[in-house]
Each structure stands twice: as structure tokens, then as C-alpha cells.
Amino acid sequence: MPKILPAAGGDVVEIILADHRWFEEALRELRDVRSDREAVLADLATVLIAHAEAEESKVYPTLRRKDAIDAEEVEHSEHEHDEGNEALLELMEVEDTGSEEFSSKLHELSEALTHHLDEEERDILNPARTDISEQVRRNLGDTFAEERARLIAEDCGNIANVRKIVKS
């Protein structure tokens, strides 16, 4: 089962990519009927919410200020975070992790998340690699990791918080 990644600084692009690979592994675990789906889902919810919230509050504004991305790209990514959060909540609300409903909701989350990861890696992270200095990426990585760790420590992936985020 994927464990929640420790918060570590470094290049923000590399940290975000590491989270993306972790999300893909968590989705694989959730597809496996032999895994502890409730535990994997709880970890996924926590990291996914912390990751998205830290991107929106720390990463996107900095990349926007540095002209690496534009307002439309920020808005699009935030919209995709919203869609992912809605799909996450629907999956969390399924009571039987062995049910067809769970599989269906997992598929919806997987589709939304995979689409977002692909677009973010092409449209946000590539410009960050080329248009932002290594020092700024490292500083931003530290800031992102700190915020992500703070949110994880607050149990940001609990269902009540996910509901609150989806409703806002």
C-alpha cells in the first residue's frame, strides 16, 4: 500500500511529479480487490487534497507572477481540481468497497485524475521547468512541501473537509 509521502523540499516540479506517480500507484492499489481499499482511499484523499490545495495557494500564484503560466491555465487547473474533488467525494461516500458502485466511482476518479495529471505535466510543469530559475523552483518546492505537510497534519482528507471543499 502506498504510504503518504514525507514532506521534503527541493525542486517543486520534481515534488509534484513524485506526488503524481504516487497518485497513480494509489489508484492501482484501489483497483486491486485484495488491497485495504479503505486505508488506501483515506491516504489518497489526504494527499490529493493537500496537494491540490498547496498547488492552488502556493504554486500557481508564483508561476503566474513569474509569467510561466497564464490566468486561463490556472483557472483550468483549478476547475480540474474541483472535478477531481467531486469524484473523490463520490467515491468516499460509497459504503461497500467491494461493490460495483465503488468500481464505477473509482473509474470516474481515475479518469478525472489521469486527465489532470497529463495536462498539468504538459501545460504547467513544462513551463515551470523552462521559464523559472532553479533557485525559484527550489524555494517554491520548500514552500509547497511545507504547506502540503501542514494540510496533511490537519487531516485535510477527512470526508467532512472534502465535503466542505466540494461545496465551496
PDB file of all heavy atoms in Angstrom, residues 76-108:
ATOM      1  N   HIS A  76      -8.178  26.728 -15.446  1.00  0.00           N
ATOM      2  CA  HIS A  76      -8.448  25.385 -15.950  1.00  0.00           C
ATOM      3  C   HIS A  76      -7.982  24.319 -14.956  1.00  0.00           C
ATOM      4  O   HIS A  76      -8.715  23.368 -14.661  1.00  0.00           O
ATOM      5  CB  HIS A  76      -7.774  25.185 -17.312  1.00  0.00           C
ATOM      6  CG  HIS A  76      -8.060  23.859 -17.935  1.00  0.00           C
ATOM      7  ND1 HIS A  76      -9.287  23.548 -18.476  1.00  0.00           N
ATOM      8  CD2 HIS A  76      -7.291  22.748 -18.051  1.00  0.00           C
ATOM      9  CE1 HIS A  76      -9.260  22.301 -18.928  1.00  0.00           C
ATOM     10  NE2 HIS A  76      -8.057  21.792 -18.675  1.00  0.00           N
ATOM     11  N   SER A  77      -6.778  24.495 -14.418  1.00  0.00           N
ATOM     12  CA  SER A  77      -6.267  23.524 -13.446  1.00  0.00           C
ATOM     13  C   SER A  77      -7.115  23.506 -12.183  1.00  0.00           C
ATOM     14  O   SER A  77      -7.395  22.432 -11.631  1.00  0.00           O
ATOM     15  CB  SER A  77      -4.812  23.833 -13.098  1.00  0.00           C
ATOM     16  OG  SER A  77      -3.979  23.456 -14.158  1.00  0.00           O
ATOM     17  N   GLU A  78      -7.521  24.666 -11.705  1.00  0.00           N
ATOM     18  CA  GLU A  78      -8.372  24.719 -10.513  1.00  0.00           C
ATOM     19  C   GLU A  78      -9.725  24.067 -10.781  1.00  0.00           C
ATOM     20  O   GLU A  78     -10.266  23.371  -9.912  1.00  0.00           O
ATOM     21  CB  GLU A  78      -8.523  26.159 -10.043  1.00  0.00           C
ATOM     22  CG  GLU A  78      -7.228  26.698  -9.446  1.00  0.00           C
ATOM     23  CD  GLU A  78      -7.286  28.156  -9.035  1.00  0.00           C
ATOM     24  OE1 GLU A  78      -8.271  28.864  -9.379  1.00  0.00           O
ATOM     25  OE2 GLU A  78      -6.330  28.606  -8.367  1.00  0.00           O
ATOM     26  N   HIS A  79     -10.259  24.247 -11.989  1.00  0.00           N
ATOM     27  CA  HIS A  79     -11.517  23.588 -12.360  1.00  0.00           C
ATOM     28  C   HIS A  79     -11.337  22.062 -12.344  1.00  0.00           C
ATOM     29  O   HIS A  79     -12.217  21.328 -11.860  1.00  0.00           O
ATOM     30  CB  HIS A  79     -11.982  24.073 -13.738  1.00  0.00           C
ATOM     31  CG  HIS A  79     -13.178  23.361 -14.264  1.00  0.00           C
ATOM     32  ND1 HIS A  79     -14.442  23.556 -13.747  1.00  0.00           N
ATOM     33  CD2 HIS A  79     -13.305  22.428 -15.234  1.00  0.00           C
ATOM     34  CE1 HIS A  79     -15.296  22.780 -14.390  1.00  0.00           C
ATOM     35  NE2 HIS A  79     -14.630  22.081 -15.294  1.00  0.00           N
ATOM     36  N   GLU A  80     -10.199  21.601 -12.853  1.00  0.00           N
ATOM     37  CA  GLU A  80      -9.944  20.155 -12.833  1.00  0.00           C
ATOM     38  C   GLU A  80      -9.751  19.637 -11.409  1.00  0.00           C
ATOM     39  O   GLU A  80     -10.157  18.512 -11.100  1.00  0.00           O
ATOM     40  CB  GLU A  80      -8.737  19.812 -13.712  1.00  0.00           C
ATOM     41  CG  GLU A  80      -9.059  19.952 -15.187  1.00  0.00           C
ATOM     42  CD  GLU A  80      -7.937  19.527 -16.098  1.00  0.00           C
ATOM     43  OE1 GLU A  80      -6.789  19.389 -15.635  1.00  0.00           O
ATOM     44  OE2 GLU A  80      -8.216  19.331 -17.290  1.00  0.00           O
ATOM     45  N   HIS A  81      -9.164  20.446 -10.529  1.00  0.00           N
ATOM     46  CA  HIS A  81      -9.088  20.057  -9.116  1.00  0.00           C
ATOM     47  C   HIS A  81     -10.497  19.899  -8.560  1.00  0.00           C
ATOM     48  O   HIS A  81     -10.777  18.935  -7.831  1.00  0.00           O
ATOM     49  CB  HIS A  81      -8.336  21.100  -8.289  1.00  0.00           C
ATOM     50  CG  HIS A  81      -6.859  21.088  -8.484  1.00  0.00           C
ATOM     51  ND1 HIS A  81      -6.048  22.076  -7.981  1.00  0.00           N
ATOM     52  CD2 HIS A  81      -6.020  20.203  -9.097  1.00  0.00           C
ATOM     53  CE1 HIS A  81      -4.794  21.814  -8.289  1.00  0.00           C
ATOM     54  NE2 HIS A  81      -4.747  20.684  -8.973  1.00  0.00           N
ATOM     55  N   ASP A  82     -11.382  20.831  -8.880  1.00  0.00           N
ATOM     56  CA  ASP A  82     -12.771  20.762  -8.408  1.00  0.00           C
ATOM     57  C   ASP A  82     -13.443  19.475  -8.886  1.00  0.00           C
ATOM     58  O   ASP A  82     -14.122  18.790  -8.112  1.00  0.00           O
ATOM     59  CB  ASP A  82     -13.582  21.971  -8.878  1.00  0.00           C
ATOM     60  CG  ASP A  82     -13.134  23.282  -8.245  1.00  0.00           C
ATOM     61  OD1 ASP A  82     -12.427  23.248  -7.209  1.00  0.00           O
ATOM     62  OD2 ASP A  82     -13.491  24.349  -8.793  1.00  0.00           O
ATOM     63  N   GLU A  83     -13.259  19.150 -10.163  1.00  0.00           N
ATOM     64  CA  GLU A  83     -13.845  17.918 -10.705  1.00  0.00           C
ATOM     65  C   GLU A  83     -13.284  16.687  -9.997  1.00  0.00           C
ATOM     66  O   GLU A  83     -14.029  15.758  -9.669  1.00  0.00           O
ATOM     67  CB  GLU A  83     -13.569  17.813 -12.207  1.00  0.00           C
ATOM     68  CG  GLU A  83     -14.325  18.815 -13.037  1.00  0.00           C
ATOM     69  CD  GLU A  83     -13.981  18.751 -14.513  1.00  0.00           C
ATOM     70  OE1 GLU A  83     -12.911  18.226 -14.887  1.00  0.00           O
ATOM     71  OE2 GLU A  83     -14.803  19.246 -15.306  1.00  0.00           O
ATOM     72  N   GLY A  84     -11.987  16.689  -9.755  1.00  0.00           N
ATOM     73  CA  GLY A  84     -11.368  15.570  -9.049  1.00  0.00           C
ATOM     74  C   GLY A  84     -11.874  15.444  -7.624  1.00  0.00           C
ATOM     75  O   GLY A  84     -12.132  14.336  -7.138  1.00  0.00           O
ATOM     76  N   ASN A  85     -12.043  16.587  -6.959  1.00  0.00           N
ATOM     77  CA  ASN A  85     -12.556  16.561  -5.583  1.00  0.00           C
ATOM     78  C   ASN A  85     -13.983  16.028  -5.535  1.00  0.00           C
ATOM     79  O   ASN A  85     -14.337  15.282  -4.624  1.00  0.00           O
ATOM     80  CB  ASN A  85     -12.488  17.960  -4.965  1.00  0.00           C
ATOM     81  CG  ASN A  85     -11.068  18.421  -4.718  1.00  0.00           C
ATOM     82  OD1 ASN A  85     -10.144  17.621  -4.671  1.00  0.00           O
ATOM     83  ND2 ASN A  85     -10.888  19.719  -4.575  1.00  0.00           N
ATOM     84  N   GLU A  86     -14.793  16.403  -6.517  1.00  0.00           N
ATOM     85  CA  GLU A  86     -16.168  15.875  -6.572  1.00  0.00           C
ATOM     86  C   GLU A  86     -16.157  14.370  -6.781  1.00  0.00           C
ATOM     87  O   GLU A  86     -16.904  13.633  -6.116  1.00  0.00           O
ATOM     88  CB  GLU A  86     -16.943  16.568  -7.692  1.00  0.00           C
ATOM     89  CG  GLU A  86     -17.271  18.017  -7.387  1.00  0.00           C
ATOM     90  CD  GLU A  86     -17.837  18.783  -8.584  1.00  0.00           C
ATOM     91  OE1 GLU A  86     -18.277  18.137  -9.570  1.00  0.00           O
ATOM     92  OE2 GLU A  86     -17.830  20.025  -8.527  1.00  0.00           O
ATOM     93  N   ALA A  87     -15.307  13.891  -7.682  1.00  0.00           N
ATOM     94  CA  ALA A  87     -15.211  12.448  -7.932  1.00  0.00           C
ATOM     95  C   ALA A  87     -14.664  11.722  -6.706  1.00  0.00           C
ATOM     96  O   ALA A  87     -15.121  10.619  -6.366  1.00  0.00           O
ATOM     97  CB  ALA A  87     -14.327  12.184  -9.157  1.00  0.00           C
ATOM     98  N   LEU A  88     -13.707  12.338  -6.028  1.00  0.00           N
ATOM     99  CA  LEU A  88     -13.163  11.766  -4.798  1.00  0.00           C
ATOM    100  C   LEU A  88     -14.254  11.626  -3.741  1.00  0.00           C
ATOM    101  O   LEU A  88     -14.406  10.570  -3.120  1.00  0.00           O
ATOM    102  CB  LEU A  88     -12.024  12.636  -4.259  1.00  0.00           C
ATOM    103  CG  LEU A  88     -11.456  12.246  -2.889  1.00  0.00           C
ATOM    104  CD1 LEU A  88     -10.793  10.879  -2.944  1.00  0.00           C
ATOM    105  CD2 LEU A  88     -10.475  13.318  -2.416  1.00  0.00           C
ATOM    106  N   LEU A  89     -15.027  12.680  -3.551  1.00  0.00           N
ATOM    107  CA  LEU A  89     -16.094  12.639  -2.553  1.00  0.00           C
ATOM    108  C   LEU A  89     -17.109  11.557  -2.884  1.00  0.00           C
ATOM    109  O   LEU A  89     -17.535  10.806  -1.991  1.00  0.00           O
ATOM    110  CB  LEU A  89     -16.785  14.008  -2.444  1.00  0.00           C
ATOM    111  CG  LEU A  89     -17.947  14.077  -1.455  1.00  0.00           C
ATOM    112  CD1 LEU A  89     -17.489  13.739  -0.035  1.00  0.00           C
ATOM    113  CD2 LEU A  89     -18.592  15.466  -1.500  1.00  0.00           C
ATOM    114  N   GLU A  90     -17.485  11.441  -4.150  1.00  0.00           N
ATOM    115  CA  GLU A  90     -18.456  10.405  -4.540  1.00  0.00           C
ATOM    116  C   GLU A  90     -17.909   9.014  -4.209  1.00  0.00           C
ATOM    117  O   GLU A  90     -18.654   8.142  -3.752  1.00  0.00           O
ATOM    118  CB  GLU A  90     -18.796  10.522  -6.021  1.00  0.00           C
ATOM    119  CG  GLU A  90     -19.666  11.735  -6.322  1.00  0.00           C
ATOM    120  CD  GLU A  90     -20.038  11.853  -7.788  1.00  0.00           C
ATOM    121  OE1 GLU A  90     -19.799  10.892  -8.555  1.00  0.00           O
ATOM    122  OE2 GLU A  90     -20.556  12.908  -8.160  1.00  0.00           O
ATOM    123  N   LEU A  91     -16.616   8.809  -4.432  1.00  0.00           N
ATOM    124  CA  LEU A  91     -16.015   7.513  -4.109  1.00  0.00           C
ATOM    125  C   LEU A  91     -15.983   7.296  -2.598  1.00  0.00           C
ATOM    126  O   LEU A  91     -16.291   6.204  -2.109  1.00  0.00           O
ATOM    127  CB  LEU A  91     -14.598   7.426  -4.690  1.00  0.00           C
ATOM    128  CG  LEU A  91     -13.856   6.110  -4.464  1.00  0.00           C
ATOM    129  CD1 LEU A  91     -14.598   4.935  -5.097  1.00  0.00           C
ATOM    130  CD2 LEU A  91     -12.427   6.204  -5.008  1.00  0.00           C
ATOM    131  N   MET A  92     -15.643   8.328  -1.848  1.00  0.00           N
ATOM    132  CA  MET A  92     -15.580   8.210  -0.385  1.00  0.00           C
ATOM    133  C   MET A  92     -16.945   7.896   0.216  1.00  0.00           C
ATOM    134  O   MET A  92     -17.032   7.272   1.274  1.00  0.00           O
ATOM    135  CB  MET A  92     -15.030   9.507   0.226  1.00  0.00           C
ATOM    136  CG  MET A  92     -13.572   9.774  -0.100  1.00  0.00           C
ATOM    137  SD  MET A  92     -13.024  11.396   0.468  1.00  0.00           S
ATOM    138  CE  MET A  92     -12.731  11.031   2.212  1.00  0.00           C
ATOM    139  N   GLU A  93     -17.996   8.318  -0.456  1.00  0.00           N
ATOM    140  CA  GLU A  93     -19.356   8.112   0.065  1.00  0.00           C
ATOM    141  C   GLU A  93     -19.911   6.724  -0.230  1.00  0.00           C
ATOM    142  O   GLU A  93     -20.959   6.358   0.294  1.00  0.00           O
ATOM    143  CB  GLU A  93     -20.285   9.205  -0.472  1.00  0.00           C
ATOM    144  CG  GLU A  93     -19.984  10.563   0.158  1.00  0.00           C
ATOM    145  CD  GLU A  93     -20.824  11.705  -0.371  1.00  0.00           C
ATOM    146  OE1 GLU A  93     -21.306  11.619  -1.537  1.00  0.00           O
ATOM    147  OE2 GLU A  93     -21.005  12.687   0.366  1.00  0.00           O
ATOM    148  N   VAL A  94     -19.211   5.935  -1.038  1.00  0.00           N
ATOM    149  CA  VAL A  94     -19.646   4.560  -1.315  1.00  0.00           C
ATOM    150  C   VAL A  94     -19.336   3.713  -0.092  1.00  0.00           C
ATOM    151  O   VAL A  94     -18.203   3.688   0.391  1.00  0.00           O
ATOM    152  CB  VAL A  94     -18.947   3.988  -2.568  1.00  0.00           C
ATOM    153  CG1 VAL A  94     -19.338   2.528  -2.772  1.00  0.00           C
ATOM    154  CG2 VAL A  94     -19.282   4.816  -3.802  1.00  0.00           C
ATOM    155  N   GLU A  95     -20.339   3.034   0.438  1.00  0.00           N
ATOM    156  CA  GLU A  95     -20.156   2.273   1.679  1.00  0.00           C
ATOM    157  C   GLU A  95     -19.448   0.942   1.491  1.00  0.00           C
ATOM    158  O   GLU A  95     -18.684   0.521   2.347  1.00  0.00           O
ATOM    159  CB  GLU A  95     -21.515   2.072   2.358  1.00  0.00           C
ATOM    160  CG  GLU A  95     -22.069   3.378   2.904  1.00  0.00           C
ATOM    161  CD  GLU A  95     -23.375   3.186   3.659  1.00  0.00           C
ATOM    162  OE1 GLU A  95     -23.647   2.065   4.107  1.00  0.00           O
ATOM    163  OE2 GLU A  95     -24.100   4.188   3.787  1.00  0.00           O
ATOM    164  N   ASP A  96     -19.687   0.266   0.372  1.00  0.00           N
ATOM    165  CA  ASP A  96     -19.127  -1.067   0.154  1.00  0.00           C
ATOM    166  C   ASP A  96     -17.993  -0.991  -0.866  1.00  0.00           C
ATOM    167  O   ASP A  96     -18.233  -0.819  -2.063  1.00  0.00           O
ATOM    168  CB  ASP A  96     -20.238  -2.005  -0.344  1.00  0.00           C
ATOM    169  CG  ASP A  96     -19.757  -3.420  -0.601  1.00  0.00           C
ATOM    170  OD1 ASP A  96     -18.556  -3.710  -0.388  1.00  0.00           O
ATOM    171  OD2 ASP A  96     -20.587  -4.241  -1.039  1.00  0.00           O
ATOM    172  N   THR A  97     -16.755  -1.129  -0.382  1.00  0.00           N
ATOM    173  CA  THR A  97     -15.598  -1.018  -1.277  1.00  0.00           C
ATOM    174  C   THR A  97     -15.492  -2.199  -2.246  1.00  0.00           C
ATOM    175  O   THR A  97     -14.682  -2.149  -3.172  1.00  0.00           O
ATOM    176  CB  THR A  97     -14.284  -0.907  -0.477  1.00  0.00           C
ATOM    177  OG1 THR A  97     -14.122  -2.081   0.315  1.00  0.00           O
ATOM    178  CG2 THR A  97     -14.260   0.339   0.386  1.00  0.00           C
ATOM    179  N   GLY A  98     -16.298  -3.219  -2.057  1.00  0.00           N
ATOM    180  CA  GLY A  98     -16.295  -4.361  -2.971  1.00  0.00           C
ATOM    181  C   GLY A  98     -17.415  -4.292  -3.994  1.00  0.00           C
ATOM    182  O   GLY A  98     -17.567  -5.202  -4.815  1.00  0.00           O
ATOM    183  N   SER A  99     -18.174  -3.222  -3.981  1.00  0.00           N
ATOM    184  CA  SER A  99     -19.358  -3.119  -4.835  1.00  0.00           C
ATOM    185  C   SER A  99     -19.032  -2.619  -6.237  1.00  0.00           C
ATOM    186  O   SER A  99     -17.975  -2.038  -6.496  1.00  0.00           O
ATOM    187  CB  SER A  99     -20.378  -2.172  -4.199  1.00  0.00           C
ATOM    188  OG  SER A  99     -19.880  -0.832  -4.224  1.00  0.00           O
ATOM    189  N   GLU A 100     -19.990  -2.849  -7.127  1.00  0.00           N
ATOM    190  CA  GLU A 100     -19.896  -2.327  -8.492  1.00  0.00           C
ATOM    191  C   GLU A 100     -19.916  -0.799  -8.465  1.00  0.00           C
ATOM    192  O   GLU A 100     -19.240  -0.157  -9.270  1.00  0.00           O
ATOM    193  CB  GLU A 100     -21.055  -2.865  -9.346  1.00  0.00           C
ATOM    194  CG  GLU A 100     -20.989  -2.440 -10.802  1.00  0.00           C
ATOM    195  CD  GLU A 100     -19.700  -2.849 -11.509  1.00  0.00           C
ATOM    196  OE1 GLU A 100     -19.220  -3.970 -11.285  1.00  0.00           O
ATOM    197  OE2 GLU A 100     -19.172  -2.019 -12.283  1.00  0.00           O
ATOM    198  N   GLU A 101     -20.661  -0.218  -7.526  1.00  0.00           N
ATOM    199  CA  GLU A 101     -20.707   1.233  -7.398  1.00  0.00           C
ATOM    200  C   GLU A 101     -19.310   1.788  -7.080  1.00  0.00           C
ATOM    201  O   GLU A 101     -18.884   2.800  -7.646  1.00  0.00           O
ATOM    202  CB  GLU A 101     -21.695   1.665  -6.311  1.00  0.00           C
ATOM    203  CG  GLU A 101     -21.793   3.163  -6.165  1.00  0.00           C
ATOM    204  CD  GLU A 101     -22.680   3.620  -5.009  1.00  0.00           C
ATOM    205  OE1 GLU A 101     -23.017   2.788  -4.131  1.00  0.00           O
ATOM    206  OE2 GLU A 101     -23.029   4.812  -4.997  1.00  0.00           O
ATOM    207  N   PHE A 102     -18.583   1.099  -6.197  1.00  0.00           N
ATOM    208  CA  PHE A 102     -17.218   1.534  -5.869  1.00  0.00           C
ATOM    209  C   PHE A 102     -16.351   1.497  -7.126  1.00  0.00           C
ATOM    210  O   PHE A 102     -15.619   2.456  -7.413  1.00  0.00           O
ATOM    211  CB  PHE A 102     -16.617   0.651  -4.768  1.00  0.00           C
ATOM    212  CG  PHE A 102     -15.276   1.132  -4.284  1.00  0.00           C
ATOM    213  CD1 PHE A 102     -15.183   2.072  -3.269  1.00  0.00           C
ATOM    214  CD2 PHE A 102     -14.103   0.642  -4.848  1.00  0.00           C
ATOM    215  CE1 PHE A 102     -13.946   2.529  -2.818  1.00  0.00           C
ATOM    216  CE2 PHE A 102     -12.858   1.091  -4.404  1.00  0.00           C
ATOM    217  CZ  PHE A 102     -12.774   2.038  -3.395  1.00  0.00           C
ATOM    218  N   SER A 103     -16.429   0.417  -7.877  1.00  0.00           N
ATOM    219  CA  SER A 103     -15.639   0.300  -9.109  1.00  0.00           C
ATOM    220  C   SER A 103     -15.983   1.401 -10.094  1.00  0.00           C
ATOM    221  O   SER A 103     -15.098   1.991 -10.723  1.00  0.00           O
ATOM    222  CB  SER A 103     -15.866  -1.063  -9.768  1.00  0.00           C
ATOM    223  OG  SER A 103     -15.308  -2.071  -8.976  1.00  0.00           O
ATOM    224  N   SER A 104     -17.256   1.700 -10.217  1.00  0.00           N
ATOM    225  CA  SER A 104     -17.700   2.745 -11.133  1.00  0.00           C
ATOM    226  C   SER A 104     -17.198   4.125 -10.704  1.00  0.00           C
ATOM    227  O   SER A 104     -16.693   4.904 -11.523  1.00  0.00           O
ATOM    228  CB  SER A 104     -19.233   2.730 -11.208  1.00  0.00           C
ATOM    229  OG  SER A 104     -19.694   3.795 -11.995  1.00  0.00           O
ATOM    230  N   LYS A 105     -17.326   4.426  -9.427  1.00  0.00           N
ATOM    231  CA  LYS A 105     -16.868   5.727  -8.903  1.00  0.00           C
ATOM    232  C   LYS A 105     -15.343   5.822  -8.943  1.00  0.00           C
ATOM    233  O   LYS A 105     -14.795   6.902  -9.172  1.00  0.00           O
ATOM    234  CB  LYS A 105     -17.383   5.971  -7.486  1.00  0.00           C
ATOM    235  CG  LYS A 105     -18.900   6.053  -7.376  1.00  0.00           C
ATOM    236  CD  LYS A 105     -19.458   7.207  -8.177  1.00  0.00           C
ATOM    237  CE  LYS A 105     -20.969   7.291  -8.026  1.00  0.00           C
ATOM    238  NZ  LYS A 105     -21.554   8.277  -8.927  1.00  0.00           N
ATOM    239  N   LEU A 106     -14.660   4.705  -8.735  1.00  0.00           N
ATOM    240  CA  LEU A 106     -13.207   4.679  -8.842  1.00  0.00           C
ATOM    241  C   LEU A 106     -12.789   4.985 -10.274  1.00  0.00           C
ATOM    242  O   LEU A 106     -11.844   5.735 -10.513  1.00  0.00           O
ATOM    243  CB  LEU A 106     -12.656   3.331  -8.394  1.00  0.00           C
ATOM    244  CG  LEU A 106     -11.145   3.127  -8.567  1.00  0.00           C
ATOM    245  CD1 LEU A 106     -10.352   4.191  -7.819  1.00  0.00           C
ATOM    246  CD2 LEU A 106     -10.758   1.725  -8.114  1.00  0.00           C
ATOM    247  N   HIS A 107     -13.507   4.425 -11.232  1.00  0.00           N
ATOM    248  CA  HIS A 107     -13.216   4.693 -12.641  1.00  0.00           C
ATOM    249  C   HIS A 107     -13.371   6.190 -12.940  1.00  0.00           C
ATOM    250  O   HIS A 107     -12.516   6.781 -13.611  1.00  0.00           O
ATOM    251  CB  HIS A 107     -14.127   3.868 -13.547  1.00  0.00           C
ATOM    252  CG  HIS A 107     -13.921   4.127 -15.002  1.00  0.00           C
ATOM    253  ND1 HIS A 107     -12.817   3.682 -15.696  1.00  0.00           N
ATOM    254  CD2 HIS A 107     -14.653   4.826 -15.887  1.00  0.00           C
ATOM    255  CE1 HIS A 107     -12.892   4.082 -16.947  1.00  0.00           C
ATOM    256  NE2 HIS A 107     -13.997   4.782 -17.093  1.00  0.00           N
ATOM    257  N   GLU A 108     -14.424   6.803 -12.421  1.00  0.00           N
ATOM    258  CA  GLU A 108     -14.645   8.238 -12.641  1.00  0.00           C
ATOM    259  C   GLU A 108     -13.511   9.067 -12.038  1.00  0.00           C
ATOM    260  O   GLU A 108     -13.010  10.006 -12.675  1.00  0.00           O
ATOM    261  CB  GLU A 108     -15.988   8.672 -12.053  1.00  0.00           C
ATOM    262  CG  GLU A 108     -17.179   8.125 -12.808  1.00  0.00           C
ATOM    263  CD  GLU A 108     -18.505   8.385 -12.109  1.00  0.00           C
ATOM    264  OE1 GLU A 108     -18.580   9.310 -11.270  1.00  0.00           O
ATOM    265  OE2 GLU A 108     -19.469   7.661 -12.410  1.00  0.00           O
TER     266      GLU A 108
END
